Amino acid sequence: MSLAIISPGRDPQPWIDAIRKQNDQLEIEVFPNIQYPEKVEVALLWQHPKGILADFPNLKMISSMGAGVDHILSDDSIPEDLPIVRIVDEKLTWSMTNYVVMGVLNFHRQVTRYQQLKEDRNWDMSDPEIPVTIGVMGVGALGFDVLEKLDFMGFPVVGFGFSEKDDFPFPYFPKEKLDEFLKEVNVLVCLLPLTADTENILNKSLFEKVNPGTYLINVARGRHLVEEDLVDAISKGQLSGAMLDVYRKEPLPEDHPFWQNEGIFMTPHIASVTNPEAASPQVVENIRRLESNEPLMNLVNRSRGY
């Protein structure tokens, strides 16, 4: 069995080391220096060049290097019957929830505003806490954990998604009730998968429907957000600001307007980063299952997009 790691711009060595701890018999090649493409049966991908998988005539499985798979599903050249799996890691969930909680508390307790007041040497005790109701768009493993932890902290929470939910433990709005969902919240967290239905969902039309002063936290994908619409919504006061970890182009270009926008708090796609040591056992186990013709773990449903 031969595994190809295709992750331009990422250091593959931590993955190689972690996988070899699990299976030292596995042949591993790294893009672009793949000598025997005909031997490759498994591809481990992150932001691969579109169409590159056609070079591997005996490919039997694709594995994402993280929880997201939109970077794979956007490649129309991948055969429909080729199985795609992803990483599900409790540490990813833990890190993501901590990041979102940080953003909620920053807005709730006005940390950014007080930092500016410090720089201005302004002793202003007004509005130390802004009442918040948090709406989470996308209530899968990550979104559900965010709802659960914020609810435990005593914050009102509601969820939104593109499917019906039976016996959901929190208030929940399906896609046809998006407008009602938006009127319930003043902190909006995007954790949606990136699909045809969700791309560009954070746009001018949506921002015009939110409660004035709503705060946006986007930790899903950059292509969920129409970036110029966000700048406009902040300037008009429809949004009080935003906390962003993902962008349409990464790294963010030096001339991008977000750098100079005081209403946007930015981090460089670090909210939840896959740990190769934690993820490699899942990769190796799926290879074993593939060889044994057993059901694969964390198999992606292409029609849902995750």
Side-chain angles (χ1 to χ4, degrees), residues 109-266:
R109 295 307 306 261
Q110 295 292 281
V111 175
T112 300
R113 181 170 75 93
Y114 281 114
Q115 184 62 34
Q116 184 60 53
L117 289 172
K118 177 192 173 189
E119 293 178 8
D120 297 339
R121 302 192 180 194
N122 182 356
W123 188 271
D124 182 356
M125 297 176 65
S126 65
D127 303 318
E129 296 183 6
I130 293 180
V132 296
T133 297
I134 303 106
V136 177
M137 304 177 75
V139 294
L142 297 176
F144 185 84
D145 194 68
V146 168
L147 288 168
E148 193 172 51
K149 298 303 190 299
L150 288 170
D151 175 71
F152 177 79
M153 294 174 68
F155 290 109
V157 295
V158 297
F160 168 84
F162 278 72
S163 60
E164 298 289 339
K165 299 286 184 186
D166 295 326
D167 301 321
F168 198 71
F170 305 106
Y172 176 79
F173 294 82
K175 61 180 180 180
E176 63 272 13
K177 295 186 177 180
L178 174 60
D179 292 1
E180 295 176 39
F181 164 78
L182 295 173
K183 290 305 178 185
E184 292 288 327
V185 308
N186 65 340
V187 175
L188 190 62
V189 179
C190 183
L191 272 165
L192 289 163
L194 185 63
T195 68
D197 288 328
T198 67
E199 186 168 1
N200 298 321
I201 192 171
L202 302 175
N203 60 25
K204 181 177 185 290
S205 175
L206 183 142
F207 297 147
E208 288 175 345
K209 297 173 183 176
V210 301
N211 290 309
T214 290
Y215 190 71
L216 173 68
I217 301 173
N218 187 19
V219 283
R221 287 290 181 266
R223 283 159 56 197
H224 284 120
L225 175 64
V226 179
E227 294 180 342
E228 57 270 27
D229 290 355
L230 171 63
V231 173
D232 188 54
I234 291 174
S235 70
K236 291 179 177 178
Q238 293 166 331
L239 295 177
S240 59
M243 182 174 182
L244 306 178
D245 186 56
V246 291
Y247 313 89
R248 299 188 82 89
K249 185 175 181 181
E250 299 179 4
L252 196 68
E254 292 184 4
D255 60 351
H256 198 285
F258 283 179
W259 290 110
Q260 303 299 322
N261 194 307
E262 295 183 356
I264 299 175
F265 181 93
M266 300 191 310

Side-chain angles (χ1 to χ4, degrees), residues 90-105:
E90 290 184 1
K91 177 62 167 58
L92 286 175
T93 303
W94 184 83
S95 296
M96 183 65 78
T97 296
N98 284 353
Y99 184 96
V100 173
V101 168
M102 174 181 68
V104 170
L105 291 178

Side-chain angles (χ1 to χ4, degrees), residues 17 70 73 81 250 272:
D17 295 342
D70 52 278
L73 297 179
D81 59 348
E250 299 179 4
S272 186

